[in-house]
């Protein structure tokens, strides 16, 4: 079958898609967007987290047919998306090509080791901060509890999200 | 091999496809500050990783590539009567189906030390999930469906699953006709390796003891559970060779095992490290490497293989489950008199790293304590359970779990504080290990314990909000809790451990680094090339820092790791910063010598300091140790390119004596101590770790941010095995019951306590910069500290990992 949808603001079309393929497979193997990761393909680890019409989902659990006509945001589009959001809100960050607060904070706080969990965590964390700009630690833990990380011990990830929230606030 | 028109062809991509050469080609890092060692500089691969552009092994893509798939045994032990691949071959889109009979050479087995692992099962399968056949097809689903059509006729055999069944009279031999070098000194052919250590007279010392405690401990099978699945891309080359892009821990070890099986000379198997999504020991053995190359060479097309999570649980070795029997004695005033122990590690069906794990478990079995009279035995079994090998902590983890429980038992018997009791017996610099080796660098065991103990405890009953209502999110079990804290009790526990750094027992543990210095666009630039596997540990960051410090340049490019440069050894045993870091330092020092020589020739006549002073390279200049600038580095170098490749070794070690266990087997030790604070809901049997404080001596923190990250990550893996992680193998069928993230649980952010880290930097004078390997030590003591805290909270004995609700509720 053929699937038409929007990824990171661009219209995409995938042909000859087998019905059993997941959104994750289409992104990674057909569209050349491997940023969303394939750690379990069972909906257990969150490495493949993308936003589908704004809602965070595990791309590995979304069947190809379900994305017809919808909008997907992946880690590859995160910087641009967050930049646009900041501009819309009249916040400081306007330069093209700049990383989002969450991306920069993950690097600065040492929240990236092997980095395999990172894309999913970034998409999930950015979405949480969009909804809840000043989260408590309990909020962060709850929001990111579906994203496994095997390397960091999560402390640096908590730090990164706190840092991103603080910087986002400062920028207003 | 069948070839037919592909059924579903892969649509050309709408965006530029990634060819393997588009993988992290170079990691250029330009630091804002000087960026040398001791600073928390950021990862050079960080930007690629946060933008999703970093190419992991499962992201490889090649035009016209096929997908490989592995068919695995559904039974643990069986004779293979026949394999019928005809139906699979007939599936449209299938290009090749290979079994043992298709292997191109007489070399059909591989292994890290003992070559006992079949590339594809031959005659027999010895564990659940063993690879039997491989398929290449044009779509991963086609390959899977074709593999499901392969008919295998198994005649099941009885399984051996533990020491009793493996060594019983008439027990089936897992490997008949063994001829490896351990067979001569093991008591039974189902024992891979045995290492006794005898020192002093444990029997006589026991007679002097006022108290003697014994204990039997069980350590469950833990999985590395790295997130990036086993995967890679093999591309056949025109010269008949193959290029492999793969995630691994040691490129040259893979190459050494692969080339003979493929029947190719080493230089025709070119390996490049692709992005690695964690390793923790689980990538030390081969997984899909040979399979993908075989399929690529057979079909003449690039072949990509990616394990799914289910397959990943079968595709790599696990941490050895262990049973440990310990006896310790002490005098009334709290001095240890003796230790006797027996450690039985289940190595599963193939040897993997078992012999080395045995050596580690035995030599570190006494822990960081002074005990002069010991009688130790460690063995690893061959069974029909899943193969076990390297995992973070490597044999020292299981021993630490047992000896730390023993320390608490002894302290309780003697009425002493558990920390003070440990401090009373703590080893220090100069202590003799049971192997007779003297610890010749700082061993601040008592101090590490003091530090975690001195830290203020987190407030009690943090789950109570101001209005005395419970915030159930903070209780054991979180939101799914069904109580409001009525049955919650708190406990505090301590543990400390000792881990060797680097490869031991006489292994030639070297690394190679190539460093080039040249002027590009008026600026001196250093290029560092090693074959070190960056698996997330941050070696690439540290190499750039070393080059900056040694060569005084700001711009350093780290070349991708491949087999075009000499071996770097394994990214394991906490050795890479020490050994490959040491190699980079060494190469830089030689490059610096060449530069200074050039300078002397060019400018020596203008300034006497060229000939007399101690010269350094700093901020792009040649300076005297007094700080006088002699010349710009760019002016010294001009068009010259200084380019050196050198090997570097740490001090040699020696094998342990096979009867007495004596020998200078290790090169360095690292130490960490934990204090765990837990809350246990005794009604529900649920545990919440509130805080896991850790103190560790790192010798010298080359990158403090990375060091903290390693310590926290290692500590959390210890938490995992303490309270949730275990691969469950059916004791009757030897089949794995929980190969998924649904059933094999690893800690989430909700399970994670605060992990405050206290770093000590007591230099080891024998190591580069005085550094001490960091990655493993925190995994050792985390588990027993948590167990001690749960015991402290509940008063229960608890002698196994992981602790499950039924152990706490007595069900
Ligand atoms: S890959 Fe989708 S949740 Fe793990
Ligand atoms: S950084 Fe490796 S899994 Fe999170």
């Amino acid at each position: 079958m053929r699937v038409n949808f929007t990824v990171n603001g661009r219209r995409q079309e995938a042909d000859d898609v087998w019905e059993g393929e997941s959104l994750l497979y289409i992104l990674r193997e057909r569209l050349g967007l491997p940023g969303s990761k394939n750690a379990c393909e069972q909906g257990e680890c969150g490495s493949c987290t993308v936003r589908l019409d704004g809602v965070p989902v595990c791309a590995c659990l979304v069947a190809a047919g379900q994305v017809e006509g919808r909008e997907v945001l992946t880690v590859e589009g995160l910087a641009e998306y967050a930049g646009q959001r900041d501009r819309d809100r009249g916040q400081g960050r306007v330069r093209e090509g700049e990383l989002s607060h969450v991306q920069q904070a993950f690097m600065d706080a040492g929240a990236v080791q092997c980095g395999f969990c990172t894309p999913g965590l970034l998409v999930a964390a950015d979405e949480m901060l969009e909804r809840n700009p000043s989260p408590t630690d309990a909020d962060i833990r709850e929001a990111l509890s579906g994203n496994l990380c095997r390397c960091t011990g999560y402390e640096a990830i908590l730090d990164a999200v706190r840092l991103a929230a603080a910087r986002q606030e400062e920028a207003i | 091999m069948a070839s037919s028109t592909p059924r579903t062809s892969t649509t050309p991509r709408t965006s530029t496809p990634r060819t393997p050469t588009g993988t992290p080609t170079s990691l250029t890092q330009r630091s804002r500050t000087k960026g040398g060692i001791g600073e928390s500089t950021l990862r050079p691969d960080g930007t690629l990783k946060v933008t999703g552009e970093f190419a992991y092994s499962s992201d490889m893509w090649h035009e016209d590539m096929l997908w490989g798939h592995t068919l695995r045994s559904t039974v643990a032990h069986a004779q293979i009567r026949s394999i019928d691949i005809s139906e699979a071959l007939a599936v449209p889109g299938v290009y090749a189906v290979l079994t043992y009979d298709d292997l191109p050479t007489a070399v059909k087995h591989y292994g890290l030390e003992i070559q006992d692992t079949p590339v594809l099962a031959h005659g027999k399968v010895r564990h659940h999930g063993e690879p039997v056949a491989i398929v290449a097809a044009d779509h991963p689903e086609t390959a899977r469906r074709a593999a499901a059509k392969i008919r295998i006729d198994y005649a099941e055999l009885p399984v051996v699953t533990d020491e009793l069944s493996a060594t019983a009279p008439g027990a089936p031999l897992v490997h008949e006709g063994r001829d490896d070098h351990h067979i001569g000194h093991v008591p039974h052919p189902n024992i891979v390796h045995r290492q006794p250590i005898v020192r002093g007279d444990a029997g006589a010392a026991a007679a002097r003891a006022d108290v003697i405690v014994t204990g039997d401990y069980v350590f469950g099978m833990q999985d590395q559970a790295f997130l990036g699945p086993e995967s890679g891309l093999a591309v056949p080359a025109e010269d008949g060779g193959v290029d492999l892009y793969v995630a691994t821990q040691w490129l040259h070890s893979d190459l050494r095992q692969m080339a003979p099986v493929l029947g190719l000379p080493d230089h025709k198997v070119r390996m490049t490290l692709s992005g690695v999504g964690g390793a923790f020991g689980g990538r030390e053995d081969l997984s899909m490497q040979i399979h993908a190359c075989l399929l690529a060479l057979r079909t003449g097309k690039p072949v990509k293989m990616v394990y799914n999570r289910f397959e990943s649980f079968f595709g790599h070795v696990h941490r050895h489950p262990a049973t440990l029997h310990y006896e310790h004695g002490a005098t009334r005033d709290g001095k240890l008199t003796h230790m006797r122990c027996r450690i039985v590690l289940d190595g599963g069906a193939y040897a993997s790293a078992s012999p080395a794990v045995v050596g580690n478990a035995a030599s570190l079995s006494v822990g960081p304590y002074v005990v002069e009279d010991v009688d130790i035995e460690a063995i690893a079994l061959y069974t029909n359970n899943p193969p076990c090998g390297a995992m973070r902590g490597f044999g020292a983890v299981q021993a630490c779990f047992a000896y730390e429980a023993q320390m608490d038992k002894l302290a309780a018997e003697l009425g002493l504080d558990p920390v003070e009791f440990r401090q009373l017996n703590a080893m220090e610099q100069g202590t003799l290990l049971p192997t007779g080796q003297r610890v010749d660098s700082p061993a601040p065991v008592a101090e590490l314990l003091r530090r975690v103990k001195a830290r203020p405890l987190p407030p009690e009953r943090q789950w109570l909000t101001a209005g005395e209502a419970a915030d159930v999110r903070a209780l054991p079990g979180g939101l799914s809790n069904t109580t409001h804290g009525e049955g919650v009790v708190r406990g505090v526990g301590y543990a400390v451990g000792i881990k060797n750094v680097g490869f031991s027992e006489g292994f030639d543990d070297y690394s190679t680094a190539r460093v080039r210095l040249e002027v590009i666009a008026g600026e001196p630039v250093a290029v560092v090339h090693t074959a070190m596997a960056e698996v997330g540990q941050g070696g690439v960051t540290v190499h750039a820092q070393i080059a900056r410090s040694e060569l005084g340049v700001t711009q350093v490019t780290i070349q991708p790791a491949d087999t075009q440069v000499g071996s770097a050894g394994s990214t394991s045993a906490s050795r890479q910063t020490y050994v490959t870091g040491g190699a980079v330092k060494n190469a830089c020092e030689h490059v610096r010598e060449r530069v200074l020589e050039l300078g002397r020739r060019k400018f020596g006549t203008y300034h006497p300091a060229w000939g007399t002073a101690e010269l350094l390279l700093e901020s792009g200049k040649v300076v005297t140790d007094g700080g006088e600038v002699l010349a710009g580095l760019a002016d010294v170098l001009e068009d010259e390119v200084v380019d050196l490749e050198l090997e570097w070794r740490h001090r040699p070690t020696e094998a342990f004596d096979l009867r007495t266990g004596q020998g200078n087997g290790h090169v360095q030790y690292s130490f960490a101590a934990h204090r765990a604070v837990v809350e246990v809901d005794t009604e529900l049997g649920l545990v919440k770790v509130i805080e896991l404080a850790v103190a560790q001596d790192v010798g010298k923190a080359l990158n403090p941010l990375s060091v903290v990250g390693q310590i926290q990550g290692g500590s959390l893996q210890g938490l995992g095995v303490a309270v949730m992680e275990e691969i469950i193998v059916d004791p009757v069928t030897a089949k794995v019951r929980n190969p998924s993230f649904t059933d094999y649980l690893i800690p989430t952010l909700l399970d994670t306590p605060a992990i405050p880290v206290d770093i000590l930097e007591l230099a080891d004078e024998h190591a580069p910069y005085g550094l001490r390997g960091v990655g493993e030590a925190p995994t050792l003591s985390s588990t027993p500290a948590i167990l001690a805290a749960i015991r402290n909270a509940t008063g229960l004995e608890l002698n196994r990992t992981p602790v499950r609700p039924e152990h706490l509720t007595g069900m």
Side-chain angles (χ1 to χ4, degrees), chain A residues 111-118 121 148-152 157, chain B residues 227 277-278:
Chain A
V112 181
Q113 287 188 17
C114 85
F116 210 80
C117 64
T118 305
L121 272 162
L148 297 178
C149 172
R150 188 54 157 171
C151 302
T152 60
I157 291 171
Chain B
L227 286 200

Side-chain angles (χ1 to χ4, degrees), chain B residues 75-79 124-127 155-162 165-166 169-176 190 382-385 731-734:
Chain B
V75 294
H77 197 200
Q79 209 72 47
K124 243 188 189 188
V125 291
R126 294 182 179 82
H127 70 91
E156 284 201 57
L157 297 166
V159 294
V160 297
T161 56
D162 57 11
S165 58
L173 297 186
V174 180
H175 295 275
E176 286 145 358
N190 279 342
Y382 273 128
T383 64
N384 296 114
N385 291 326
V732 177
T733 62

Side-chain angles (χ1 to χ4, degrees), chain B residues 433-437 653-657 660-666 669:
Chain B
L433 291 168
T435 53
Q437 184 167 15
T653 59
E654 59 193 36
F656 299 126
D657 183 276
T660 64
Q662 300 301 293
N664 292 328
H666 301 307
Y669 305 93

Side-chain angles (χ1 to χ4, degrees), chain A residues 24 37-48 58-61:
Chain A
L24 184 61
K37 290 290 166 261
N38 56 326
C40 75
E41 299 179 71
Q42 296 173 316
E44 294 288 347
C45 74
S47 308
C48 62
C58 295
C60 66
L61 295 185

